[in-house]
Amino acid sequence: MKYLSTRGDGTLRGFSDILLEGLAPDGGLYLPTHYPQIDSAMLKRWRGLPYAELAFEVLSLYIDDIPPADLQTLCKATYTEAVFGTPQITPLIALQPGLYLQALSNGPTLAFKDMAMQLLGRLFEYELARRGEQLNILGATSGDTGSAAQYAMRGKRGLRVFMLRPQGRMSPFQQAQMFSLQDANIHNLCIAGVFDDCQDIVKAVSNDLAFKRRHRIGSVNSINWARLLAQVVYYVAGYLQATRSNDERVSFAVPSGNFGNICAGHVARSMGLPIDKLVLATNENDVLDEFFRTGVYRVRSSAETHATSSPSMDISKASNFERFVFDLLGRDGARVQALFGDAVPREGGFSLSAAELAPAAARHGFVSGRSSHADRLATIRHTWQTHGEMIDTHTADGLFVARQHLQPGTPMLVLETAQPAKFAQTLVEAIGIRPEPPAALRDIEHLPRRFTVLPPQVEAVKHFIEQHAAAATAATAATAATAATAATAATAALAEPTEPAAAA
Ligand SMILES: *Cc1c(COP(=O)(O)O)cnc(C)c1O
């Protein structure tokens, strides 16, 4: 399997070449040259496979430059009951006949991002060891991505993580989760500023190409193809659990922000997995719902981006969306370049004609909807009172919109993207009960914390990276040890806000 860019660069690259890359050199996103087809015989063979084996089967269709035995070992090490809480890894919970939650949030950080990030950590470690290279991951986050990345990369050889966060703008639980990591290769940098400051600093550092090359700076954001690929697996797993025969179809409802989760659904459907509808759910930040209703893609400004009670979906533009538009427009790279390389940066968006938009629903199965804070509260309350299930605010967005698209005879699987304990305050507002985190995490808020406060200045962050980064070539054990001891540990308490602000 080879990969190409959505913006017309047709240079064919292997999986291992794009694994450690972010954007393609022309600014586009990587996609496979074609989607391998899943046929009925394959589905039959896959029924009953443990999740890790299923992951190996699906990944093997897209990865031909890692020896199969190694890939299998990586999958088996990643998808274990010890890490994901259940032997099924993504079990279905029946709410009523034909309506299920698919649990994706039983990983270490209690959000679905662990599903892909845990595998990515192992793939990165494997590939870096194979090349004798090191990688310094730099990112900005105020949502779940950062902690999922840190939990996936902690203790991994060849990898260091520098994660920037706005000081004080996280829930107490999120802070505890991130700052309690004691691993020497994980650096929490609290920036005395807001999320935009963090993102600007990451951009500035990444734009300094000499610095980037010298320190081998990489990223783990949601545009990484390997993350998307790992997510395709749970669509297959959900399908196999909800059906008995391969003639049956199911629909998926997906709480969406950056279009990463549902893009994996689009890939699964394009591979021939019998999916009827892909139901895209947004919160008040409805960039994507607007697109699927009208064909208008209008990026929002920061001022127009609402801070909602489902904060991981508070996005102003959807970074993975370009992949779908590439497929929607018949893989016309020049057109995608004109839309995303030109119209989006210059005019803040674009609009497709009705004829161009039509295949989104007719051919690709997309429908959409949005929900409000009141809708989430009502959905959380109803689900608790009627079904005895506590759901988080993001899953509530998905379930609310899913209910508008139920069709008799077609099971609907709502992807459960986070645990309610992460958003305890809204749960209290909805049902008057504070959800408990899983036992293993209950004491997390009392653990010692490790972070460094830096001013919102590019130079300060560069200086910190210089002091703590792994060398561009294989670092000696001595270098790594020095970096570890030099790591600054701070224990001051941070201001604790109510709920987290914007997502990353
Ligand atoms: C990241 C996230 C989302 C949005 O997923 P995308 O892939 O960005 O569309 C939804 N819910 C939760 C809990 C998340 O962490």
Side-chain angles (χ1 to χ4, degrees), residues 111-113 144 255-262 312-313 392 394 417-418:
F112 91 96
K113 302 218 166 51
D144 298 319
S256 293
N258 271 321
F259 205 81
N261 197 348
I262 202 163
S312 299
M313 292 158 62
D392 93 290
H394 306 77
T417 56

Side-chain angles (χ1 to χ4, degrees), residues 89 102-107 109-112 114-115 416-420:
I89 309 297
Q102 185 175 359
L104 303 182
S105 66
N106 294 321
T109 72
L110 312 184
F112 91 96
D114 291 327
M115 292 303 307
E416 183 248 58
T417 56
Q419 296 266 324

